[in-house]
Amino acid sequence: MARQLDYSTIREIFRRFHAADPEPKGELEHVNVYTLVVAVALSAQATDAGVNKATRALFQIADTPEKMLALGEDGLIAHIKTIGLFRNKAKNVIKLSRILVEQYGGEVPSSRAALQSLPGVGRKTANVVLNMWWRMPAQAVDTHIFRVGNRTGICPGRDVDAVERAIEDHIPAEYQLHAHHWLILHGRYTCKARKPACAACLIRDLCQYEDKTL
C-alpha cells in the first residue's frame, strides 16, 4: 500500500483527469433510475459490457418495477442467464421491484439507507445510484478504485470503507462528484491489475507505484 499523497499532488492529479475528460460517464446502460438500480445490482462480479449486452433487450420490455414483476423471475432469468450468479440476482431484482411497488409507489428512493434496504443493493450500488442519477458526491469503491487508490497513493486504505473515507477526506471538493468515475476508468483502461500501462499514464510522474512498467 502506497503512502498517502499530499493535497497539492492529488489536486494536480484530478486537474489532469478533468482536463482529459471533464464529464466522465459510467458505462452501465440504463434508461431511468430504476433500470440503473437493476443494472448496478446485476453488475456485481460481472463486467459492465456483459451486463449491457444482457439488459439492452430486457430494458425495452421491463423498465419499471411493475413491468419487471409482470415479466417474472423466469422471464428475467431468460434475459440475464449470461451474467454470473444470475439466479440469485433474478430473485433479488424481483424482490426489490416488489418492495418498490408496495412501499415506494413504484419510485426509487433517493436516500442511501432506503436504497441499501433493497435486496441485492449494498453500499456500493447505493452510492453509484446516488452519484449517477442524483449527482451526489457519493463514492462507489469497486476493485478498480481499491487498486488505483492503494497503488498510486491517491486514496490508500486496507478495505473499501477506508478507501471511501480517504476519497472523501483527501480529494478536493470540486472533483468529488466525478472522482469515482475518473478512478474507475483509470483502473479499467490504464492502471490495469496485471499490466498497468504506465507509459501511457497521465499521472505517472505523480504516482507512488514502485513497479511502474516501461
Side-chain angles (χ1 to χ4, degrees):
M1 186 166 66
R3 64 175 175 82
Q4 176 68 58
L5 292 170
D6 62 74
Y7 185 79
S8 62
T9 302
I10 292 174
R11 177 178 285 282
E12 173 59 18
I13 284 172
F14 282 90
R15 186 198 66 76
R16 295 182 191 182
F17 285 157
H18 178 269
D21 187 3
E23 286 283 330
K25 297 289 191 293
E27 296 183 323
L28 280 173
E29 296 173 8
H30 57 283
V31 297
N32 54 32
V33 64
Y34 170 71
T35 54
L36 176 59
V37 172
V38 172
V40 181
L42 294 176
S43 72
Q45 300 180 48
T47 65
D48 286 2
V51 172
N52 290 339
K53 186 175 181 181
T55 57
R56 283 182 192 125
L58 171 65
F59 292 158
Q60 288 179 9
I61 61 171
D63 61 354
T64 68
E66 293 87 353
K67 291 177 183 177
M68 191 68 75
L69 290 174
L71 181 64
E73 191 174 318
D74 289 341
L76 175 55
I77 285 174
H79 282 88
I80 67 168
K81 59 187 177 183
T82 56
I83 300 174
L85 308 175
F86 66 89
R87 292 188 188 281
N88 190 53
K89 290 177 180 178
K91 284 184 172 63
N92 283 334
V93 169
I94 294 299
K95 286 179 183 177
L96 74 82
S97 299
R98 185 167 290 112
I99 290 171
L100 290 177
V101 170
E102 293 177 354
Q103 297 183 22
Y104 297 97
E107 300 295 324
V108 175
S110 59
S111 81
R112 181 185 283 118
L115 285 167
Q116 283 188 244
S117 74
L118 299 173
V121 177
R123 185 177 179 88
K124 185 184 81 170
T125 298
N127 282 349
V128 171
V129 176
L130 292 173
N131 181 277
M132 288 181 65
W133 193 260
W134 284 291
R135 296 183 70 81
M136 298 181 188
Q139 309 302 333
V141 179
D142 69 351
T143 55
H144 295 300
I145 293 181
F146 187 79
R147 178 177 67 256
V148 171
N150 280 290
R151 188 182 267 177
T152 62
I154 294 171
C155 45
R158 297 198 178 278
D159 55 40
V160 293
D161 291 338
V163 170
E164 183 179 334
R165 288 193 300 272
I167 294 173
E168 293 171 346
D169 291 345
H170 298 287
I171 293 174
E174 65 264 37
Y175 297 123
Q176 286 276 334
L177 178 61
H178 294 312
H180 95 273
H181 279 134
W182 280 316
L183 292 170
I184 286 172
L185 295 171
H186 190 66
R188 186 172 289 163
Y189 297 111
T190 303
C191 196
K192 294 176 280 191
R194 294 184 181 177
K195 191 176 180 182
C198 299
C201 178
L202 279 175
I203 62 167
R204 61 186 175 275
D205 56 318
L206 305 174
C207 168
Q208 293 291 314
Y209 188 46
E210 294 180 352
D211 300 319
K212 291 187 177 73
T213 57
L214 297 176

